[in-house]
Amino acid sequence: MNKYLKIDPWCIIEEGFDSKRHQSSESIFSIGNGLIGQRANFEEDYSGKSLQGTYVAGVYYPDKTKVGWWKNGYPEYFAKVLNATNFIGIRIFVNGDALDLAKCKVLSFQRVLNMKLGVLSRNFVVEMPSGKQVEVTTSRFLSMAVPETGAIHYSLSPVNADVEIKFVPYLDGNVINEDANWDEVFWDQVTHEINGKEGYIVSRTKKTEFEIACGMFIKAFLDGKEILQNPMNVARAGYVEAAFKVKVAKKSRLAVYKHVAVLSSLYHDRKVILDHTKQVLKKSGETGFEKLLMAHVAKWATIWEHSDIVIEGDDEAQQGIRFNIFHLNQTYRGDDPRLNIGPKGFTGEKYGGSTYWDTEAFCIPFFLCTAPASVTRNLLLYRYKHLGKAIENGRKLGFTGGAALYPMVTINGEECHNEWEITFEEIHRNGAIAFAIYNYVRHTGDHNYLIEYGLEVLIAISRFWSQRVNWSDEKKQYVMLGVTGPNEYENNVNNNWYTNTLASWTLQYTIETIELVKHVDPSKYKGLIKKIRFKEREESSCWKDIIAKMYYPYLESEGIFLQQEGYMDKEQMTTEQLDPAQRPLNQKWSWDRILRSCFIKQADVLQGIYLFEEKYDTETILRNFDFYETRTVHESSLSPCIHVVLAARLGKMELAHRLYLRTSRLDIDDYNNEVSEGLHITSMAGTYLAIIEGFAGKRVREGRLVLNPQIPASWKTFAFKILFRDSQLKVDISKKKVVITNESAISVEVNVYNNDYAVASRSTVEIKRNKNNMGYELNK
């Protein structure tokens, strides 16, 4: 853990500059708008350690892997979202000396990420080698209102002497990825031009041939008066700059405005992409920084109106949840089904910016509650559009008849993860995709999705499960061998309880969905079975047999579901017996030692109980929770939130709150000592789940919204809005009451503490809390 940021409900604030923390701050203070993302690199040159990062959604390179690609079934490449043109650069020279915080004496420094406004700013005073002191103030944003644009305001004021300042705004497309497997340069430079205060670069990715066009337009003012001089222009392949020299008196202020436009061939024909970039940049310059900022701030106000969670009494908790909500919304816009949410988003190179099962398991529940249904629908359509590739992937591994195995990691539908224990064995990802369809339909009521797209995906996944199990003559049951569950501190295990459970559930849900589609739209169903050559009687009969005879490991002595066969052969210890100096295990222990230990990286059995909670009584949940929580080290960012939901469900509110702080402040406080590599974007959705499904007890049952609110002891109140079907509800929870306001035009039925309430349009229902309804009424 590394706590160095101030607590503030709306801002992330760094006071003082420490070069050892700089790469961590570059991650934490990252900004984006769903199409463009950027680490919080400095505008001016910095010669210290830094991970440069500017990323454009959907633009990737297939980086050839170093291991395994010569073996059958192994991916040949790892898809990487690329570090693209650096468009923020503004070199500064004071009387000829370069402004560089790694070399200058930093007298004061503050960096602020204002999450309410979506603006990154800095204020610092430096002393140059000559003794001249300069105050610098910067602010920048990537527009949520005009997503292909961004703007920078960079101002300088001499503190103790008159100086000559040379400022050099530039675009640099000659960038690299630090994680390149073979030290390749991923970009070819297409064209460049510079004309006074306006410059452009067009770059093209090798192999995939995406084009990125980037433009800049500069305006500068001295004490409010525009500087009209023509700059000195420099241009070469992949690089343009415009250099200005200005004499600035002591206490005067030089202000530089840099407007940028970034367009990709994902949305623009390559023949006209440069012309379009010029048009976008021209309009941005005419609009001006202040008006662009106002539109950007207004867009963020709308986003916060729907997705904010307000906590009174605990600023640490408040800052944590807003940090997570902020990064989720600036990573994914939801208007393009070709895009998805990478584990690091636009904050670093690790994981390649590709899609994992995190989206279905964690991000979809967030967007269901906070965004129009079309946003989640597009995440599901992303998988539907990749169904052909998933079937091809299954075929490569020996599966037949249209069986689909979705990739563990992908950006275009092809598997690009090359660790065998993950790529071939962590097949529970298929079940997460099936459950996401179910989760979407039960929350939105959009059964048409099942008819148009969902059933086809479910059948392909069920065909995979039916071939992945095999009959055990010894057990007289179906078994699933050689898998890795969500707990990646176990590999190549037999009969992982979670995977077996999810497979059986998928088969059952597919059978139910077949009946629904047959009934609602018989002609559509007939067309589908012809298209995919579905033999309903034969295949459904097989699935029903598997459901009836699936093997689930169980430990009678403890009354718990066993994570997998052989788990109890390990030396049983609890996390309390671990030396804190030995954690995190993945940074202290060998992989061999980890695999032989009983310690659990993230929720595995408990992930299944979380998904299928209604199937189990409270005593069963409690036994499993108490056993597995004491063995879980939470070294996956995806783990604590599931434990929060279950701990709250069991009334363990002190533990739930402690784990909530861990998940919500995982990156802000750098729990795992790795935030310098980038943020844990997809697990941030789990922080939202911790509050909404944990403390508020949100569920959907039989088409109704269910709430069982509880409140941590240190909180006075918490409040949120939730989209459900065609309604928006505002929920306020305090120690004494729950208040639900229906802000929509239709009546909504809500179940609170096992009582039904009809909340009429534009009306409010108040429910008193007492000792009989302070949380869940235990299932018997």
Side-chain angles (χ1 to χ4, degrees):
M1 186 185 293
N2 186 14
K3 296 186 73 165
Y4 66 94
L5 302 169
K6 290 184 66 175
I7 304 299
D8 183 277
W10 274 112
C11 294
I12 307 297
I13 303 170
E14 179 182 10
E15 297 278 8
F17 180 68
D18 184 342
S19 60
K20 298 184 188 69
R21 296 169 174 164
H22 179 56
Q23 286 180 280
S24 296
S25 292
E26 286 180 323
S27 298
I28 293 168
F29 289 82
S30 295
I31 58 173
N33 63 14
L35 287 186
I36 316 164
Q38 195 169 62
R39 288 172 60 82
N41 308 130
F42 292 159
E43 290 87 358
E44 70 278 357
D45 284 352
Y46 179 71
S47 60
K49 287 186 177 180
S50 171
L51 176 59
Q52 294 295 305
T54 299
Y55 310 103
V56 180
V59 176
Y60 70 94
Y61 178 83
D63 195 12
K64 185 178 179 181
T65 58
K66 284 192 170 183
V67 296
W69 51 266
W70 58 88
K71 298 178 181 178
N72 288 338
Y74 260 85
E76 295 183 359
Y77 67 88
F78 189 81
K80 293 177 177 176
V81 170
L82 301 183
N83 184 20
T85 298
N86 174 9
F87 57 74
I88 63 169
I90 306 175
R91 291 193 184 91
I92 303 294
F93 300 87
V94 180
N95 286 354
D97 293 331
L99 175 59
D100 180 346
L101 268 63
K103 297 177 179 178
C104 298
K105 184 177 181 180
V106 181
L107 303 179
S108 67
F109 180 91
Q110 184 186 66
R111 176 164 24 195
V112 178
L113 177 60
N114 187 316
M115 299 178 289
K116 187 173 185 178
L117 306 181
V119 175
L120 171 62
S121 62
R122 288 183 297 146
N123 179 267
F124 59 89
V125 178
V126 296
E127 184 173 283
M128 307 300 293
S130 64
K132 302 293 190 294
Q133 295 177 3
V134 180
E135 180 193 19
V136 177
T137 301
T138 76
S139 62
R140 75 179 190 242
F141 62 93
L142 293 172
S143 176
M144 294 292 282
V146 190
E148 294 176 323
T149 66
I152 302 166
H153 175 212
Y154 196 102
S155 72
L156 305 92
S157 178
V159 174
N160 62 353
D162 298 347
V163 298
E164 181 184 72
I165 292 178
K166 179 181 179 182
F167 62 96
V168 188
Y170 65 88
L171 302 175
D172 187 2
N174 298 305
V175 294
I176 62 170
N177 270 51
E178 288 194 5
D179 67 349
N181 287 337
W182 303 94
D183 297 324
E184 289 181 89
V185 174
F186 297 146
W187 295 95
D188 287 325
Q189 302 306 324
V190 178
T191 190
H192 61 275
E193 60 181 71
I194 182 81
N195 183 17
K197 302 175 183 179
E198 193 174 331
Y200 300 91
I201 288 174
V202 179
S203 307
R204 180 184 300 144
T205 59
K206 296 178 179 178
K207 296 184 181 178
T208 48
E209 297 190 337
F210 291 104
E211 283 195 4
I212 298 295
C214 189
M216 70 173 182
F217 174 73
I218 309 302
K219 276 191 175 183
F221 298 82
L222 182 60
D223 292 331
K225 184 177 180 180
E226 186 172 2
I227 298 170
L228 299 176
Q229 67 173 263
N230 290 321
M232 178 74 70
N233 290 156
V234 174
R236 57 182 178 269
Y239 180 87
V240 296
E241 71 174 37
F244 300 76
K245 281 186 179 180
V246 183
K247 293 186 183 299
V248 185
K250 176 183 173 180
K251 304 298 183 182
S252 289
R253 184 162 295 276
L254 170 66
V256 180
Y257 293 90
K258 184 177 185 180
H259 291 258
V260 296
V262 182
L263 278 64
S264 90
S265 58
L266 205 64
Y267 300 101
H268 301 269
D269 189 290
R270 289 188 298 181
K271 294 178 182 177
V272 295
I273 192 170
L274 180 56
D275 289 339
H276 287 185
T277 303
K278 291 178 179 180
Q279 294 166 14
V280 171
L281 190 62
K282 183 176 185 291
K283 187 173 182 180
S284 173
E286 291 172 347
T287 302
F289 183 90
E290 294 301 329
K291 288 185 178 179
L292 284 172
L293 178 60
M294 288 173 59
H296 169 72
V297 169
K299 188 69 174 178
W300 266 112
T302 301
I303 293 168
W304 284 116
E305 173 68 20
H306 295 292
S307 61
D308 192 20
I309 296 177
V310 180
I311 300 170
E312 291 188 13
D314 189 338
D315 283 347
E316 263 198 317
Q318 179 68 87
Q319 184 184 45
I321 188 59
R322 281 185 173 144
F323 179 74
N324 289 272
I325 292 170
F326 172 78
H327 277 289
L328 283 163
N329 278 304
Q330 70 170 5
T331 300
Y332 183 70
R333 300 172 60 84
D335 54 2
D336 187 343
R338 294 173 297 177
L339 302 181
N340 210 283
I341 307 156
K344 295 291 184 190
F346 298 125
T347 69
E349 297 177 2
K350 190 174 181 181
Y351 303 124
S354 300
T355 306
Y356 288 61
W357 66 284
D358 309 19
T359 293
E360 285 76 25
F362 298 91
C363 296
I364 276 179
F366 168 77
F367 288 109
L368 278 174
C369 293
T370 63
S374 60
V375 171
T376 303
R377 206 174 202 262
N378 276 338
L379 287 172
L380 296 180
L381 284 172
Y382 176 89
R383 294 295 194 180
Y384 177 77
K385 290 175 180 294
H386 289 174
L387 179 57
K389 292 286 188 182
I391 292 171
E392 181 182 325
N393 185 48
R395 192 180 305 121
K396 288 178 182 178
L397 301 186
F399 297 92
T400 61
L405 175 58
Y406 276 93
M408 184 66 186
V409 180
T410 193
I411 201 165
N412 62 2
E414 293 180 330
E415 177 65 80
C416 63
H417 195 286
N418 50 48
E419 297 175 23
W420 67 268
E421 68 276 15
I422 306 298
T423 305
F424 302 144
E425 295 196 341
E426 202 163 335
I427 54 177
H428 64 83
R429 63 205 190 235
N430 252 15
I433 292 167
F435 190 86
I437 295 171
Y438 165 77
N439 206 9
Y440 168 77
V441 172
R442 73 172 171 178
H443 188 98
T444 64
D446 181 10
H447 290 94
N448 188 59
Y449 183 82
L450 291 174
I451 297 169
E452 295 292 331
Y453 309 105
L455 179 56
E456 187 174 351
V457 173
L458 291 171
I459 289 174
I461 291 174
S462 292
R463 283 170 160 174
F464 168 82
W465 287 130
S466 68
Q467 294 177 45
R468 188 56 173 79
V469 299
N470 64 271
W471 179 256
S472 168
D473 286 333
E474 180 181 341
K475 289 183 170 65
K476 303 302 181 188
Q477 289 178 286
Y478 288 98
V479 297
M480 200 175 315
L481 310 178
V483 304
T484 297
N487 170 27
E488 292 172 342
Y489 287 177
E490 301 275 5
N491 297 150
N492 200 35
V493 302
N494 293 336
N495 293 309
N496 172 257
W497 180 85
Y498 172 74
T499 306
N500 287 16
T501 299
L502 199 51
S504 290
W505 174 87
T506 303
L507 296 173
Q508 182 61 47
Y509 181 53
T510 304
I511 291 169
E512 293 170 4
T513 304
I514 287 169
E515 293 304 314
L516 182 146
V517 174
K518 282 170 63 176
H519 175 72
V520 174
D521 196 334
S523 64
K524 189 75 175 181
Y525 178 71
K526 288 179 181 178
L528 176 61
I529 63 175
K530 182 179 180 181
K531 172 185 175 183
I532 64 176
R533 299 179 181 178
F534 180 55
K535 301 174 183 177
E536 181 184 347
R537 181 177 298 179
E538 178 183 328
E539 295 189 60
S540 294
S541 176
C542 171
W543 299 347
K544 290 174 183 177
D545 194 52
I546 294 169
I547 294 166
K549 299 172 184 175
M550 180 71 89
Y551 172 70
Y552 305 99
Y554 187 80
L555 185 61
E556 292 285 352
S557 61
E558 298 286 342
I560 62 168
F561 307 122
L562 197 57
Q563 184 173 267
Q564 75 266 348
E565 286 188 289
Y567 180 77
M568 295 307 294
D569 291 336
K570 296 169 178 281
E571 180 184 4
Q572 293 298 311
M573 299 173 61
T574 65
T575 55
E576 290 183 353
Q577 296 171 271
L578 280 171
D579 180 354
Q582 293 294 301
R583 300 178 69 176
L585 301 184
N586 58 21
Q587 296 175 24
K588 305 290 185 179
W589 286 11
S590 70
W591 196 244
D592 171 75
R593 188 178 179 186
I594 288 174
L595 291 176
R596 289 187 287 107
S597 81
C598 70
F599 295 115
I600 298 168
K601 181 184 180 184
Q602 70 187 83
D604 197 304
V605 167
L606 296 184
Q607 182 83 23
I609 289 176
Y610 159 74
L611 292 182
F612 306 116
E613 174 195 42
E614 294 175 61
K615 295 173 62 175
Y616 312 112
D617 60 34
T618 297
E619 288 74 18
T620 298
I621 297 172
L622 180 61
R623 287 194 303 271
N624 280 275
F625 183 86
D626 286 348
F627 183 86
Y628 287 110
E629 162 59 22
T630 58
R631 289 160 173 79
T632 303
V633 290
H634 297 297
E635 288 176 10
S636 165
S637 62
L638 301 173
S639 184
C641 61
I642 299 301
H643 287 240
V644 172
V645 174
L646 294 178
R649 164 73 175 78
L650 296 167
K652 297 174 180 280
M653 287 298 289
E654 183 179 347
L655 173 61
H657 181 251
R658 186 168 73 248
L659 288 171
Y660 162 76
L661 287 177
R662 178 177 180 131
T663 189
S664 68
R665 301 188 63 83
L666 177 74
D667 289 320
I668 299 175
D669 295 337
D670 197 8
Y671 269 82
N672 292 339
N673 300 315
E674 60 183 10
V675 76
S676 61
E677 299 174 341
L679 304 180
H680 297 84
I681 299 297
T682 49
S683 73
M684 290 178 171
T687 302
Y688 182 88
L689 298 188
I691 293 181
I692 302 303
E693 297 187 10
F695 302 148
K698 178 259 179 184
R699 306 288 190 273
V700 177
R701 291 179 181 152
E702 297 176 351
R704 292 180 304 170
L705 183 66
V706 175
L707 299 172
N708 279 287
Q710 302 176 81
I711 187 166
S714 61
W715 297 9
K716 293 178 181 177
T717 67
F718 71 103
F720 57 90
K721 292 185 179 182
I722 186 168
L723 295 171
F724 180 70
R725 305 286 167 104
D726 296 318
S727 64
Q728 177 169 280
L729 302 176
K730 185 176 186 293
V731 182
D732 293 88
I733 299 162
S734 68
K735 298 278 198 296
K736 295 183 178 180
K737 60 186 178 182
V738 177
V739 179
I740 302 174
T741 303
N742 184 354
E743 298 182 342
S744 55
I746 60 171
S747 179
V748 182
E749 188 174 289
V750 184
N751 182 282
V752 184
Y753 301 131
N754 292 316
N755 293 307
D756 292 333
Y757 298 88
V759 189
S761 169
R762 317 295 180 193
S763 69
T764 296
V765 169
E766 185 174 302
I767 303 148
K768 291 183 178 179
R769 300 185 71 219
N770 55 56
K771 64 182 180 180
N772 295 320
N773 70 1
M774 297 302 279
Y776 286 90
E777 182 172 317
L778 301 185
N779 297 334
K780 300 300 182 184

